Amino acid sequence: MGTVRENVGTALTAAGLVAAAPSVWQTVTHITDDTYRAPEARHGAGHVQYHMAREVLITAGAMGAVVAGAVAGPRRERATWRGMAAAGGGFTAAMWSGGPVTGVWAPNRRALATHVASTAGLAAGVLLLRPKRNDR
């Protein structure tokens, strides 16, 4: 059984991952959605869908790294935590990348709430799971 900090960190990390699920599922459904085809795309009409598939696979890897770091428990080494933090940070940064690039932070309020909840849960959880300085 872990410390209160460990337990809260794990719970918040899990909540952040669960909060992200609708956004990830939305991306998964875009892969086969013909409205996400762009006939004028230089690399072919399905190029946008290819990027959606690639994003889903990258997301699966990032979430896997976050889960691996979270389940390591109190024996988590600093290198494991760094990998977990980088994967979680990269995943959440990608959700916010639309704002500076396109001027659209999220397509609707529900998506914005999903982004805020998943970012807050992952950031707080991963931060709480950071090993103390004298740990590994």
Side-chain angles (χ1 to χ4, degrees), residues 20-135:
S23 181
V24 174
W25 180 248
Q26 183 88 20
T27 304
V28 168
T29 63
H30 293 340
I31 296 168
T32 57
D33 184 344
D34 284 339
T35 63
Y36 281 85
R37 295 183 66 77
E40 70 281 357
R42 181 178 51 182
H43 298 296
H47 195 70
V48 173
Q49 292 167 309
Y50 156 77
H51 279 278
M52 294 294 177
R54 190 171 75 179
E55 181 179 338
V56 167
L57 291 172
I58 292 167
T59 296
M63 289 186 161
V66 170
V67 169
V71 299
R75 297 181 324 170
R76 180 181 312 98
E77 294 185 10
R78 294 187 73 71
T80 303
W81 180 82
R82 286 184 187 110
M84 173 188 184
F91 172 74
T92 56
M95 282 194 292
W96 297 104
S97 64
V101 174
T102 66
V104 179
W105 292 95
N108 53 54
R109 287 183 181 168
R110 187 175 181 183
L112 182 62
T114 296
H115 294 180
V116 168
S118 60
T119 299
L122 284 168
V126 169
L127 184 64
L128 286 172
L129 293 175
R130 182 174 185 244
K132 295 184 189 306
R133 288 227 179 258
N134 59 355
D135 292 350

Side-chain angles (χ1 to χ4, degrees), residues 4-15 70-71 73 76 125-126 128-129:
V4 171
R5 179 174 159 251
E6 182 78 24
N7 293 338
V8 171
T10 301
L12 285 171
T13 301
V71 299
R76 180 181 312 98
V126 169
L128 286 172
L129 293 175

